[in-house]
Amino acid sequence: MTLRTDLPPPLIIRTGAVRVPGGRSILAALHLDLSEPRIAIIGRNGSGKTSFMRLLAGLIAAESGSVSLGGEDMFKNRRAALSAIGILFQNPDHQILFPTVAEELAFGLTQQGINRREARMRVDALLASEARSHWAEASVSTLSGGQKQYLCLMALLLMAPQTLLLDEPFSGLDMPTALRLKRRLAALPMRIITIGHDPRDLKEQNRVLWFEGGAIRMDGPPDQVLPAFETEMSRLGEVDADTDLAG
């Protein structure tokens, strides 16, 4: 497996609103170029963070415009999206499809058009390089939550994406497991865009996007965005901000 050591072209986002059936907007129109190697997405629950990540991955479409990387539309060209962008969801059980580790790892490769024999060779090589050859025929159900998260990450790395999207990857992990996963992610050469909720984990990012109500409230370096975000969250905590019913 060969991971890219140079960053890909920027993700170009030129989109209108994203709406759910019934017409309610969950994301406002966006005009962004995402070129930095490490980008964080923050915001309260329901602020649009996960919808934004799904938009980037080509899993949902806006009412107009596109998300493109290297001239390819991530929603319209699914084959290109599979090679360009990998997404790691918060709950690995929502991502895993197959009963054994080897089958799960091979699936993304076969989706890219690689034959089963070659896919299995790549799976075995990756597991060996990660000192996990004994995982190959193991049932996914025997893995811990942290091991499942690591399995999903390995499946993405096999597909050699140009950009990784991580949806709160450390949520639900104990401290040692989270630290190991953080070290592994920090060593990766591709662009990584991470949804996070703890500003303490985001200070080493190159850029932070703060979402509020489906729109970007602030966009900039962490030493500017994170203090403003923490101040606002503290203010909201003082005024019982969760008393309003959702519309």
Side-chain angles (χ1 to χ4, degrees):
M1 179 185 62
T2 301
L3 294 178
R4 295 174 175 85
T5 56
D6 56 324
L7 287 177
L11 269 167
I12 307 298
I13 301 104
R14 303 286 187 271
T15 56
V18 176
R19 302 183 186 278
V20 295
R24 181 173 65 88
S25 173
I26 56 173
L27 278 179
L30 295 164
H31 188 288
L32 294 167
D33 294 356
L34 302 182
S35 59
E36 294 80 3
R38 295 293 186 266
I39 299 170
I41 313 297
I42 59 171
R44 292 191 292 166
N45 290 341
S47 63
K49 304 185 304 293
T50 298
S51 295
F52 178 65
M53 192 159 283
R54 291 173 63 83
L55 178 71
L56 296 184
L59 299 177
I60 59 175
E63 60 186 6
S64 62
S66 68
V67 174
S68 63
L69 194 156
E72 297 290 349
D73 186 310
M74 295 295 97
F75 182 77
K76 293 180 179 178
N77 190 338
R78 293 304 303 149
R79 176 64 65 87
L82 286 172
S83 297
I85 294 181
I87 183 168
L88 185 67
F89 293 104
Q90 182 176 354
N91 186 340
D93 288 327
H94 295 165
Q95 191 157 352
I96 292 171
L97 299 173
F98 291 89
T100 70
V101 167
E103 289 175 297
E104 182 65 28
L105 290 174
F107 176 66
L109 295 174
T110 58
Q111 290 294 103
Q112 290 180 320
I114 296 169
N115 66 62
R116 292 181 182 276
R117 182 174 178 275
E118 174 64 20
R120 181 55 192 258
M121 290 175 61
R122 296 190 189 187
V123 166
D124 289 343
L126 174 64
L127 288 172
S129 72
E130 298 279 345
R132 287 172 170 79
S133 293
H134 58 291
W135 280 25
E137 304 308 325
S139 169
V140 171
S141 65
T142 65
L143 302 182
S144 69
Q147 289 172 328
K148 288 178 181 178
Q149 195 79 312
Y150 204 89
L151 169 62
C152 291
L153 177 62
M154 287 194 295
L156 292 176
L157 296 183
L158 271 171
M159 298 170 70
Q162 296 175 321
T163 295
L164 275 180
L165 309 178
L166 310 178
D167 189 353
E168 298 200 25
F170 313 115
S171 176
L173 301 182
D174 60 33
M175 186 177 293
T177 304
L179 289 173
R180 285 195 296 271
L181 183 57
K182 286 178 183 179
R183 286 197 302 270
R184 187 68 173 89
L185 292 170
L188 294 176
M190 67 275 289
R191 178 179 297 126
I192 300 180
I193 301 174
T194 305
I195 288 178
H197 67 277
D198 189 342
R200 293 172 297 181
D201 293 333
L202 306 176
K203 293 179 180 179
E204 300 303 317
Q205 303 292 305
N206 303 110
R207 180 178 178 183
V208 179
L209 305 179
W210 171 9
F211 273 81
E212 189 68 44
I216 293 178
R217 175 161 176 174
M218 195 170 179
D219 175 2
D223 61 354
Q224 294 179 15
V225 179
L226 296 179
F229 175 76
E230 292 184 89
T231 297
E232 177 63 4
M233 295 305 102
S234 296
R235 185 191 69 81
L236 291 173
E238 294 292 331
V239 296
D240 292 329
D242 61 350
T243 57
D244 291 336
L245 296 175

